[in-house]
């Protein structure tokens, strides 16, 4: 755990979150500022700053995050109409929290994949 990491502190129970799914290695909770009717963040409980760091250090955690994301999408009723799974990584992607997280987005048509400013 990184004591300065917001999402590590959610895993530790020090900061509240609306948890929707949990496994031994992952936690999923609602985004505090949702960008779609369903917006859930899926994280590994272990701290990895971004997707590349997690994939290099712990491929099993990467698989667990994907499996948990699929379980969340199903539990949220998104399989019929579809959903988007998104990892922001680094500055150009606008990553704000440096504990890797998958965004599960759905519940309405999501528009184009990318809109440049
Ligand atoms: P990213 O830009 O990919 O790093 O996304 C970070 C996400 O974390 C944003 O969508 C924020 O709304 C979300 N977020 C920030 N703080 C919290 C929190 N305390 N609980 C839930 N989601 C949060």
């Amino acid at each position: 755990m990184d004591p300065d990491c917001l999402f590590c502190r959610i895993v530790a129970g020090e900061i509240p979150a609306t948890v929707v799914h949990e496994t031994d290695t992952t936690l999923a909770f609602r985004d505090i500022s949702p960008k779609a009717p369903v917006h859930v963040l899926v994280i590994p409980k272990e701290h990895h700053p971004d997707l590349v760091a997690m994939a290099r250090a712990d491929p099993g955690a990467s698989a667990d995050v994907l499996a948990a994301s699929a379980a969340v999408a199903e539990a949220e009723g998104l399989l019929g109409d579809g959903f988007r799974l998104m990892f922001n990584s680094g500055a150009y992607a606008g990553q704000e929290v440096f504990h890797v997280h998958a965004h599960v987005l759905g519940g309405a048509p999501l528009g184009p994949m990318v809109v440049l400013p």
Side-chain angles (χ1 to χ4, degrees), residues 1-9 14-15 47 97-99:
M1 175 184 170
D2 177 346
D4 297 324
C5 169
L6 173 65
F7 288 175
C8 283
R9 296 186 68 197
E14 294 174 7
I15 292 176
H47 182 83
V97 178
F98 287 84
H99 181 130

Side-chain angles (χ1 to χ4, degrees), residues 12-101:
E14 294 174 7
I15 292 176
T18 304
V19 172
V20 297
H21 187 267
E22 184 170 11
T23 69
D24 287 349
T25 57
T26 67
L27 190 70
F29 50 92
R30 297 204 186 281
D31 195 289
I32 202 167
S33 176
K35 311 298 187 297
V38 175
H39 188 173
V40 174
L41 303 178
V42 182
I43 67 170
K45 289 182 177 175
E46 292 281 331
H47 182 83
H48 302 286
D50 57 34
L51 176 63
V52 172
M54 176 174 68
R56 286 178 175 161
D58 191 348
S62 310
D64 291 350
V65 168
L66 287 184
S69 299
V72 166
E74 181 171 21
E76 296 288 325
L78 303 181
L79 298 193
D81 289 326
F83 65 99
R84 186 168 291 157
L85 186 67
M86 191 177 80
F87 291 86
N88 289 322
S89 192
Y92 273 16
Q95 184 178 3
E96 293 174 353
V97 178
F98 287 84
H99 181 130
V100 60
H101 49 281

